[in-house]
Amino acid sequence: MVGFGDLDLLTLQQYWWFVISLLGGLFVFMMFVQGGQTLIYKLSTNETEKTMLINAIGRKWELGFTTLVLFGGALFAAFPLFYATSFGGAYWVWLAILFCFIIQAVSYEYRSKPDNFLGQKTYEVFLYINGTLGVFLLGVAIATFFSGSEFKIDSNFFSHWQNPLRGLEALFNPMNYLLGFALVFLTKITGAMYFINIINHKEIREKALSSIKINMLLFLLFFLGFIGWIFTKDGFAINESGIVFMQQYKYFYNFLDMPILLTLFIIGIIMVIISVFNTIAFKKTSCIKTGGIGVVLTVTALLTSLGFNNTAYYPSTYDLQSSLTIMNSSGSHYTLMAMSYVSLMVPFVLAYIAYAWYLMDRVKITKEEIESPNAHNY
């Protein structure tokens, strides 16, 4: 029987890049919570309906945080040079994203507390900021994996960021906006689908259905624009000597060269489209499951393609040879091997998330439950 210790370094690097890509896909799906937060006022007409919406996603935001911690922890341990370069260099954009997620946690904790000095509406605004600005900035940050960033790695493997905006300069590249807005509208769609699934309230379901129709068109506009951009732009490739160079249609060829990833990518997109179609045309209430799997497959395939097939997943536009690859930014063979054994626990974590999800969604949220004197409201 072959163990992780018998695998070569490159195989372990590829294994961990796939694991991180999968966790990234799971996290993007869990951001339906953020999307739902942006729909609170749009889907409610009174305080009871608003509380129903907040309670629905309030049950899930901690699961999203669990996935985020897993994603960040795995990235830090498996590819420490990326962690040091991006989080240590582009810290203004990451601090802005972190702030947006901190105010989310604070809002769920204190929104319904008696005598909170900021008031409920302030915390609801915080939730909206998290769902719009936080998601948009995260999409822009991820888009730099395709457009590149301004940094240099010296001979001692210290990273030096070359722009005083420290990551916020990504906002001056309009192409990065495509993924930012695509992510915002995708989370709105999955958020609305989750509301339809968990809340037993006719008016909310009808409004959620209407919002999906609009947001799906906007999502397709930005998502197809993003895919068109990355498939037609020059990408950051690596030759046999480890030299980074610009290759025409690199990201498009990545999918052609890896048909399994291309298949997963296409299946994921189709599943999202089918889930939206069934929700709109046949008034199905459980399509969040199909759509969620589609989101996970699509994002996982997209992120995996960045690290495989001799591609620089975190390119430097300041110095091409400083670009990060899974080969030059990973931990040692021993570190990756030890972590690989620990990764065998990931299915148990996912099982916990699935079980917790099942327990929380066994009973649909109703108006009567919210108005009950014993109700626990966020």
Side-chain angles (χ1 to χ4, degrees):
M1 181 177 179
V2 178
F4 287 114
D6 299 317
L7 301 177
D8 59 45
L9 180 58
L10 179 59
T11 302
L12 288 173
Q13 291 165 336
Q14 292 173 334
Y15 169 76
W16 270 102
W17 184 255
F18 176 76
V19 170
I20 289 169
S21 298
L22 176 59
L23 290 173
L26 289 170
F27 177 62
V28 171
F29 163 58
M30 290 304 300
M31 284 201 298
F32 72 81
V33 172
Q34 276 70 26
Q37 290 167 184
T38 67
L39 299 173
I40 291 172
Y41 283 103
K42 184 177 181 60
L43 304 186
S44 63
T45 55
N46 54 57
E47 194 65 29
T48 298
E49 290 180 353
K50 183 170 63 176
T51 303
M52 291 172 72
L53 294 166
I54 295 177
N55 271 19
I57 51 180
R59 298 174 177 180
K60 294 293 190 297
W61 76 270
E62 290 176 319
L63 296 181
F65 248 73
T66 300
T67 310
L68 177 60
V69 170
L70 276 174
F71 175 77
L75 197 57
F76 169 72
F79 300 98
L81 188 55
F82 164 75
Y83 204 88
T85 301
S86 182
F87 290 86
Y91 54 74
W92 283 127
V93 68
W94 288 116
L95 282 175
I97 293 170
L98 179 61
F99 174 77
C100 290
F101 278 85
I102 289 174
I103 62 175
Q104 178 202 36
V106 171
S107 297
Y108 282 118
E109 181 66 26
Y110 291 104
R111 174 187 174 272
S112 62
K113 288 287 193 298
D115 302 322
N116 66 74
F117 74 98
L118 292 178
Q120 284 191 5
K121 290 190 179 299
T122 301
Y123 291 115
E124 290 161 9
V125 170
F126 286 171
L127 293 177
Y128 187 84
I129 292 173
N130 172 250
T132 50
L133 182 62
V135 173
F136 173 75
L137 289 176
L138 189 61
V140 169
I142 296 173
T144 61
F145 284 49
F146 298 91
S147 61
S149 300
E150 301 177 44
F151 63 88
K152 179 178 176 59
I153 307 295
D154 65 24
S155 58
N156 294 316
F157 296 101
F158 287 109
S159 61
H160 306 275
W161 207 261
Q162 302 298 315
N163 193 302
L165 292 178
R166 293 288 183 169
L168 292 177
E169 69 274 6
L171 294 171
F172 290 94
N173 184 345
M175 305 310 293
N176 291 336
Y177 284 50
L178 293 172
L179 184 58
F181 283 120
L183 206 56
V184 168
F185 292 116
L186 174 64
T187 58
K188 286 177 178 285
I189 293 167
T190 53
M193 292 172 68
Y194 180 69
F195 285 143
I196 290 172
N197 176 251
I198 192 60
I199 298 178
N200 186 12
H201 192 276
K202 181 180 178 181
E203 289 75 14
I204 288 179
R205 286 181 172 177
E206 289 177 349
K207 291 177 182 178
L209 195 64
S210 298
S211 74
I212 291 175
K213 297 176 182 178
I214 298 172
N215 290 318
M216 186 61 181
L217 292 175
L218 293 171
F219 165 70
L220 288 174
L221 174 66
F222 288 104
F223 180 71
L224 293 177
F226 172 72
I227 295 300
W229 169 54
I230 64 172
F231 279 3
T232 56
K233 75 183 296 293
D234 293 345
F236 300 81
I238 316 160
N239 65 19
E240 295 179 355
S241 302
I243 303 299
V244 180
F245 66 99
M246 301 304 296
Q247 179 181 339
Q248 191 175 29
Y249 308 131
K250 171 60 177 171
Y251 303 114
F252 176 67
Y253 286 137
N254 274 1
F255 279 103
L256 293 183
D257 293 340
M258 296 180 286
I260 294 178
L261 283 187
L262 177 61
T263 302
L264 291 178
F265 185 69
I266 293 175
I267 290 175
I269 293 174
I270 291 174
M271 290 182 72
V272 172
I273 294 175
I274 289 176
S275 66
V276 171
F277 178 78
N278 284 337
T279 301
I280 295 174
F282 300 108
K283 305 296 189 294
K284 299 286 187 178
T285 61
S286 60
C287 292
I288 182 63
K289 300 170 185 176
T290 304
I293 294 173
V295 169
V296 173
L297 291 178
T298 303
V299 176
T300 299
L302 189 63
L303 292 179
T304 301
S305 71
L306 274 172
F308 285 21
N309 201 36
N310 296 317
T311 309
Y313 71 86
Y314 198 57
S316 171
T317 54
Y318 179 83
D319 175 27
L320 275 183
Q321 306 317 312
S322 291
S323 299
L324 301 186
T325 69
I326 63 171
M327 288 81 76
N328 67 14
S329 63
S330 77
S332 67
H333 183 278
Y334 178 81
T335 300
L336 296 182
M337 178 197 68
M339 286 175 52
S340 296
Y341 284 108
V342 175
S343 73
L344 296 177
M345 297 297 296
V346 170
F348 295 97
V349 176
L350 297 181
Y352 156 73
I353 292 175
Y355 182 65
W357 183 298
Y358 166 74
L359 290 179
M360 287 185 284
D361 285 6
R362 280 188 304 175
V363 180
K364 306 297 182 184
I365 293 177
T366 63
K367 178 180 178 181
E368 291 72 25
E369 174 194 343
I370 299 301
E371 294 178 340
S372 169
N374 298 322
H376 170 69
N377 297 325
Y378 287 91

